[in-house]
Amino acid sequence: MREPYTSSTVYFQVDPQVPEPRLIALAGETIRNGGLVAFPTETVYGLGANALDEAAVEKIFRAKSRPANDPLIVHIADLSQLPGLAVSVPEIAYRLFQRFAPGALTLVLNKHEAVPANVTAGMDTVAARMPDHAVALALIKAAGVPIAAPSANRFSRPSPTTAQHVADDLEGRVDIILDGGGTAIGLESTILSLVGEAPQVLRPGGVSLEALRAIVPDLTYQPQYLTDGAAAPSPGSMLKHYSPRAKVILFRGDDDLAVWAAMKSFADDHDDVGVMTLEQDATRFVDLDVKVESLGLDLDGAALRLFSALRSLDSRGVEWILARAPDTTGVGLAIGDRLLRAAEGDVIDVKPQH
Ligand code: AMP
Ligand code: MG
């Protein structure tokens, strides 16, 4: 096992809209000098290094204890950086980025030889995205290089949506944490591969499939949930991911009353139970001895609160976390995907009551 990367971590509070140029210049210099900077994006916080510096990128894997076969997303601040990362970029990539960049869409393209092998886990494809966050964009510009960045959490933990989450996981393993407040979306980007025969979604995320289909009607999506030992046709498809310490159980079913009844009966039969639920359904659990974490009023709110609710219930000391799978339309698809991975596949399918 590689030694973890260690550093005395420095915090900078930055204005999320108008980041202080002096702080951004320092952070950019740290990236250029081969260091690690955690920074906010609109999806989740990223752990960044110079994407063109193999030794700097290696530090990301060591800081996160991330396996080398899990590739990183390269972040750019301007489309003019794309030809330095990817070759034979199809016209559809530019059309997609015209619509969704900056934004929560990552494209997988054929890799340029300038990109070190560890960024792409040895593959000949590279993932690229332009984040929609003033701090991230300013940092990339100040660094003067594209920034490779996975989510700024320890491997297989819930992704960080605040600088405090980053500190909880990576204190002493990152040179600078730029604290620009909470992230706006709360789930990672949608990853769309343009290197196969047909455009293929590899991970649902902040941009919905419905929105992508307006530009790429023939895209395909085949969810992949791999367990240890299985050969991964596309990376990052491990079933265990986003895991809190508590055991997550996902309840699935269309009959509201039946699903709540099943959740309540599970809570009755077990000790130290936590529940994550939409605000309007929280009252269903008031008569039970459970810790409740509200996910807000709608699916956008749930996306924003999902990872922090998992971390929060962990810190409240529960053994079990119960959640209900949402509809798979819009951002619900990505929420359901993260919940299933957090639950490591432990799903209870609830039959309608009549
Ligand atoms: P993270 O930023 O931690 O959510 O992880 C980045 C994810 O991007 C990886 O786990 C992969 O699923 C995906 N990814 C990055 N590069 C590639 C690539 N070249 N091909 C396919 N997927 C990729
Ligand atoms: Mg991640």
Side-chain angles (χ1 to χ4, degrees), residues 25 66 82 97 132 146 175 189 205 216 221 247 258 297 322-323 346:
R66 182 181 176 104
L82 206 50
F97 272 155
D132 188 13
D175 297 292
S189 59
V216 195
Y221 170 53
K247 184 84 210 71
L297 293 167
L322 313 186
D346 267 320

Side-chain angles (χ1 to χ4, degrees), residues 44 64 66 70 150-153 156-157 159 188 203 241-242:
V44 302
K64 287 192 60 159
R66 182 181 176 104
D70 198 353
S151 50
N153 50 280
S156 87
R157 296 262 302 137
S159 298
E188 301 84 347
R203 174 178 79 184
H241 206 149
Y242 314 109

Side-chain angles (χ1 to χ4, degrees), residues 82-99:
L82 206 50
L85 299 173
V87 294
S88 327
V89 178
E91 195 263 336
I92 189 78
Y94 285 101
R95 274 211 285 147
L96 282 161
F97 272 155
Q98 259 152 34
R99 170 71 181 80

Side-chain angles (χ1 to χ4, degrees), residues 218-240:
D218 61 335
L219 69 77
T220 62
Y221 170 53
Q222 195 64 53
Q224 274 176 2
Y225 300 105
L226 303 173
T227 45
D228 276 350
S234 75
S237 37
M238 297 308 295
L239 177 59
K240 178 179 161 64

